[in-house]
Amino acid sequence: MIITVLLGSPNKKGSTSILVDEFKRGAEESGHTVEILDVCHMIINPCIGCVKCGYEGPCVQKDDTEIVKSKLLTSDMVVFATPLYYYGMSAQLKTVIDRFCAYNSSLNSRHLKSALLSVAWNSDDWTFDALEAHYKTLVRYINFEDKGMVLGRGCGTPSMTLRSRYPKKAYELGKGL
Ligand SMILES: Cc1cc2nc3c(=O)[nH]c(=O)nc-3n(C[C@H](O)[C@H](O)[C@H](O)COP(=O)(O)O)c2cc1C
């Protein structure tokens, strides 16, 4: 499979990246091709809601969304990777997703496989309830096929994350595809 990871953490060497790198290592060992898009350092503006695209058509904004679009429409799987920010995904990742608006039907018809990788400082059992619900709803709406989630509780810093069981879980998710 061709797998595109949307890396939604602004920290290039943070906890989210640790999970992403382990996922990639596992997936590549199983023969998949993984490309990581560092969306926080790309120029991707928020959707302005004009709907000139009609939910499928050229977007009036010309920016790096074109790169994300061309990658996703030639991939078999998308991985959403984000730190938990106020119990949801990062604004940077949400911005990328809102811009799906202009290729909504194309994305829907691709029936991509998908996964979610996330990290949080909190370790309560409800830490990821809202993010998980959002991800599952998105997958359902856009006709993706969920292949799994790694939700790293108690992963507040890279050293906490490296000591946790979640990098191994991310590796196993990739390896098992
Ligand atoms: C703006 C912001 C909001 C955050 N919100 C939460 C939160 O709601 N719950 C939580 O457990 N951790 C929260 N955190 C902590 C991060 O999710 C955590 O430190 C994570 O490991 C950061 O990942 P990174 O190293 O990839 O940046 C927040 C951090 C920031 C900077």
Side-chain angles (χ1 to χ4, degrees):
M1 284 197 291
I2 297 173
I3 303 170
T4 297
V5 179
L6 302 176
L7 173 56
S9 172
N11 288 315
K12 288 176 187 282
K13 298 209 178 297
S15 295
T16 310
S17 282
I18 292 171
L19 298 197
V20 165
D21 290 347
E22 283 303 289
F23 170 86
K24 181 174 191 278
R25 191 167 69 83
E28 287 177 346
E29 280 180 16
S30 290
H32 304 293
T33 301
V34 181
E35 183 168 358
I36 299 167
L37 292 185
D38 180 6
V39 296
C40 296
H41 297 96
M42 294 166 76
I43 297 168
I44 300 175
N45 298 305
C47 177
I48 57 170
C50 67
V51 199
K52 293 262 170 43
C53 62
Y55 300 107
E56 180 67 39
C59 180
V60 295
Q61 302 195 71
K62 304 300 171 206
D63 58 21
D64 291 341
T65 291
E66 284 302 315
I67 299 170
V68 179
K69 175 184 173 181
S70 67
K71 294 290 178 194
L72 291 184
L73 295 183
T74 50
S75 294
D76 305 293
M77 178 167 181
V78 56
V79 177
F80 299 99
T82 180
L84 193 70
Y85 278 2
Y86 289 91
Y87 297 94
M89 65 181 69
S90 68
Q92 292 92 331
L93 181 59
K94 182 62 163 54
T95 299
V96 171
I97 292 173
D98 288 350
R99 296 289 298 283
F100 286 176
C101 183
Y103 54 109
N104 199 68
S105 306
S106 302
L107 208 47
N108 194 297
S109 353
R110 275 203 70 79
H111 190 45
L112 292 176
K113 294 177 176 48
S114 70
L116 174 65
L117 304 176
S118 188
V119 283
W121 192 290
N122 199 333
S123 52
D124 292 314
D125 60 2
W126 47 266
T127 299
F128 286 106
D129 284 1
L131 180 64
E132 191 177 342
H134 187 181
Y135 167 72
K136 284 182 174 166
T137 305
L138 177 67
V139 163
R140 180 175 180 173
Y141 165 69
I142 211 154
N143 199 26
F144 291 164
E145 179 190 344
D146 174 43
K147 301 302 284 181
M149 292 176 255
V150 176
L151 304 175
R153 292 190 266 143
C155 292
T157 63
S159 59
M160 288 162 76
T161 304
L162 286 169
R163 283 197 308 272
S164 76
R165 62 187 194 278
Y166 299 105
K168 184 163 178 270
K169 282 181 169 287
Y171 167 80
E172 287 168 353
L173 177 61
K175 183 86 178 174
L177 289 171

